[in-house]
Amino acid sequence: MNQIELLAPAGDLTRLKTAVRYGADAVYIGGKQFSLRSRASNFSLADIKEGAAFAKQYGAKVHVTVNMLPHEEDLSGLSDYLTALQECGVHAIICASPAIMMCAKQVAPKLEVHVSTQHSLTNSAAANYWKSKGADRVVLARELTLSQLKEVKEHSELPLEVFIHGGMCISYSGRCMLSNHMTLRDANRGGCAQSCRWKYRLYDNGKPIHDEATLFSMSSKDLMGARFLPELMQMGIASVKIEGRMKSTYYIATLVHTYRMLIDELLENGSVSDEKMDWYCAQLAKAENRPFATGFFQGVPKAQDHLYGINGAGISGEYIADVIDYDSEQKMAVLKVRNKFDPGIKAEVFAPHEPPRQFVISQIYDEEDMRLETANQPMRIVKIPSEFPMSKHAMIRKVIDKKRQIE
Ligand code: SF4
C-alpha cells in the first residue's frame, strides 16, 4: 500500500483544529477573498495564519481555495492576497483560473498550485498539460470510474487528488448554471444557491404530474468511497478528499477519525476484512450524511443513486456532548452538552487516534454535583461517572440501533 493524504474540509478555525486533531494530513479552507464557496469562507488572514501554525504542530498542511473564476474587475488585490497566504504558512492553493495560477507562481512561488476540480479533469493529457504550466497537483473530476482513475494515474506526471466522501453535484461538477439561472447567484463566483436541491413542481402540458407531497428535487445521494480506498492506495493516488466545508464539527470529526483508522490499518496490514470494512462504513454513517451511493467509482450513477423528491440530509441528534475534562480521582468526565440526553442511555465516546468505546451513562450531575434528570441545555457543563478516562477533545454520541443505507 502507498501512503495517501487524508484531506479534510473546514469552514472555520474550530473545525480546522478538529480535523487536524482527529488525524487529517491536510485541511482545505476558504479565505474571504477569491474563493468559490463564499458562504463557507470564514477565514481571515489572521485565522489562516493561526490555522497553518496549528496544523504544522501536528505535521499537517493547510490548502486554501482560491478557486473563483474571476472577471476582470475581480483581480484587484490578487497578488497581495497570494503573497499574504504564503507568509501565513499555507502549503497550497486550489485554483481554477490560469490568471490566479500564473500570479501565484510569480509572487508566491513557495505555494503549491493545485488545479481545482472545477476544471473537470478527466484524463492524463490534461493533467500533464497543467504540469507544463507549473501546477503541482490536479484534483480529478468526480465523474471518473475506478478503472478510468487507474488509467489516468498510469500516464499522469502529476500527483492526483480524488474525492472520497461527501455531497455530489447533480450537474457535471463545475459546469452548472442552475444557480445563476434561478437566482442570479453565480456558482462559479462563490454564490451557488444549491438550486438543484430545491423542491420543484413538474407539469405536463400545464397539468401537475404529482401531488404536493411529492415535490421533485434533483439532489444526489452522498458519495461514500471507503470501500474503494484500498484500490486508490494501491494505484498511488496522492490524496483523498472529503467534501463539506459547510459541515459540522461532529461530521468532520466522525469522518476524519474513521478514514484515519482505515488508512492506518491499510498501511499496516495491506488489507482489511469485509467484516471490518462494514464496521468502518457503519462508523462513517454516524455523521449527518444523506443516504449513500458510490458516485462514479463503479460506473455512471443510476436512478437509485439520486434522491428524487427528498433532500435526505438531517441532523441526527446522535452527537450529544464534547468531553472537556476527566477527573481521574472522582472518575467523572466533564462534558459540554450538544444535544439532549438522559441517564440510562447507551453512548459511545470517540477521541483522536482512539477507537470508539461504548458505555452506559448511568447518572448526570451539574457542576455543583446535583443530580439531573436530563441534560437538555446545549452548551451546559455537566458531569457523568466513567470508570475509564476520557480524552479532552473526545466526542460522545448516542448508540442508535437503526439501519442506514450503506452500499
Ligand atoms: S446548483 Fe446544485 S448542481 Fe449546480 S453547482 Fe450548485 S450544488 Fe452543484
Side-chain angles (χ1 to χ4, degrees):
M1 285 290 168
N2 299 299
Q3 278 286 355
I4 198 162
E5 176 188 83
L6 176 58
L7 177 56
D12 58 26
L13 257 182
T14 304
R15 282 173 275 180
L16 181 151
K17 290 179 181 178
T18 299
V20 169
R21 280 194 193 101
Y22 274 83
D25 298 303
V27 182
Y28 67 100
I29 62 175
K32 289 185 184 291
Q33 293 168 271
F34 306 103
S35 177
L36 196 59
R37 272 196 167 260
S38 53
R39 284 189 300 142
S41 302
N42 298 318
F43 283 84
S44 64
L45 282 172
D47 286 343
I48 293 172
K49 190 172 182 183
E50 185 180 336
F54 181 86
K56 196 174 173 194
Q57 290 170 30
Y58 289 76
K61 293 168 178 163
V62 170
H63 303 180
V64 176
T65 55
V66 192
N67 55 352
M68 79 184 309
L69 296 177
H71 289 208
E72 203 65 30
E73 66 273 17
D74 296 324
L75 287 168
S76 157
L78 177 64
S79 43
D80 287 348
Y81 181 66
L82 293 170
T83 312
L85 290 183
Q86 178 173 271
E87 283 166 5
C88 286
V90 168
H91 176 72
I93 56 167
I94 306 165
C95 43
S97 165
I100 294 177
M101 296 178 205
M102 271 181 347
C103 186
K105 286 287 160 195
Q106 282 162 10
V107 304
K110 286 191 202 150
L111 290 176
E112 279 199 6
V113 168
H114 297 179
V115 180
S116 164
T117 194
Q118 289 295 108
H119 270 288
S120 302
L121 244 141
T122 50
N123 59 71
S124 56
N128 295 340
Y129 167 80
W130 284 115
K131 180 176 165 58
S132 75
K133 296 295 169 196
D136 300 286
R137 178 189 288 188
V138 292
V139 188
L140 293 177
R142 289 177 177 87
E143 294 83 7
L144 285 170
T145 64
L146 268 186
S147 57
Q148 288 170 335
L149 280 171
K150 199 169 178 194
E151 211 167 320
V152 176
K153 170 63 194 131
E154 269 168 23
H155 301 106
S156 172
E157 293 163 18
L158 276 183
L160 305 176
E161 184 176 304
V162 169
F163 280 93
I164 189 84
H165 197 107
M168 300 277 287
C169 253
I170 193 81
S171 172
Y172 203 92
S173 302
R175 308 275 154 171
C176 176
M177 300 305 286
L178 257 183
S179 174
N180 304 50
H181 176 70
M182 305 293 282
T183 66
L184 295 181
R185 282 171 52 173
D186 188 342
N188 284 318
R189 287 203 286 170
C192 172
Q194 297 223 319
S195 309
C196 56
R197 301 192 191 278
W198 295 0
K199 301 276 191 289
Y200 293 89
R201 292 181 174 79
L202 295 187
Y203 296 89
D204 182 14
N205 276 330
K207 285 192 189 142
I209 57 172
H210 52 72
D211 59 40
E212 285 290 309
T214 55
L215 295 182
F216 178 78
S217 84
M218 292 171 277
S219 179
S220 168
K221 287 183 183 174
D222 280 359
L223 167 67
M224 189 206 275
R227 291 185 194 282
F228 309 106
L229 195 53
E231 278 164 277
L232 296 174
M233 289 171 74
Q234 265 161 6
M235 70 175 82
I237 295 298
S239 175
V240 281
K241 181 175 206 165
I242 298 168
E243 181 275 347
R245 281 192 285 138
M246 308 274 280
K247 296 288 194 174
S248 70
T249 310
Y250 171 68
Y251 178 91
I252 289 165
T254 302
L255 295 188
V256 172
H257 182 248
T258 308
Y259 277 110
R260 176 78 275 147
M261 286 191 295
L262 175 54
I263 290 171
D264 289 348
E265 183 169 347
L266 285 165
L267 285 172
E268 199 175 322
N269 302 334
S271 64
V272 298
S273 65
D274 290 348
E275 196 184 19
K276 193 69 190 288
M277 186 58 88
D278 289 345
W279 181 84
Y280 280 117
C281 291
Q283 293 297 311
L284 293 169
K286 291 175 180 174
E288 300 109 346
N289 306 279
R290 297 180 182 84
F292 291 116
T294 53
F296 285 74
F297 282 130
Q298 293 181 303
V300 176
K302 304 195 170 54
Q304 67 266 23
D305 299 320
H306 298 297
L307 289 169
Y308 297 118
I310 55 169
N311 181 303
I315 303 300
S316 65
E318 286 175 48
Y319 167 40
I320 53 175
D322 292 327
V323 178
I324 55 175
D325 205 357
Y326 180 76
D327 182 334
S328 50
E329 274 180 22
Q330 293 194 357
K331 297 199 167 168
M332 296 286 264
V334 184
L335 313 182
K336 187 184 278 181
V337 177
R338 292 296 181 167
N339 283 296
K340 178 182 178 299
F341 62 96
D342 299 326
I345 64 157
K346 198 170 176 189
E348 180 176 70
V349 61
F350 67 104
H353 307 286
E354 290 175 23
R357 185 165 180 175
Q358 296 194 352
F359 65 105
V360 173
I361 297 181
S362 56
Q363 303 291 346
I364 308 172
Y365 298 92
D366 70 8
E367 286 183 279
E368 277 73 46
D369 295 327
M370 296 290 289
R371 248 161 90 163
L372 299 173
E373 287 185 6
T374 184
N376 59 1
Q377 293 172 351
M379 311 309 277
R380 184 176 185 179
I381 304 301
V382 300
K383 298 194 249 180
I384 61 167
S386 172
E387 284 302 314
F388 59 89
M390 291 190 189
S391 312
K392 205 173 169 185
H393 304 302
M395 295 184 185
I396 300 179
R397 58 164 83 98
K398 287 179 197 167
V399 175
I400 296 176
D401 185 20
K402 62 181 177 185
K403 291 247 178 290
R404 292 181 192 252
Q405 184 193 352
I406 307 163
E407 294 177 42

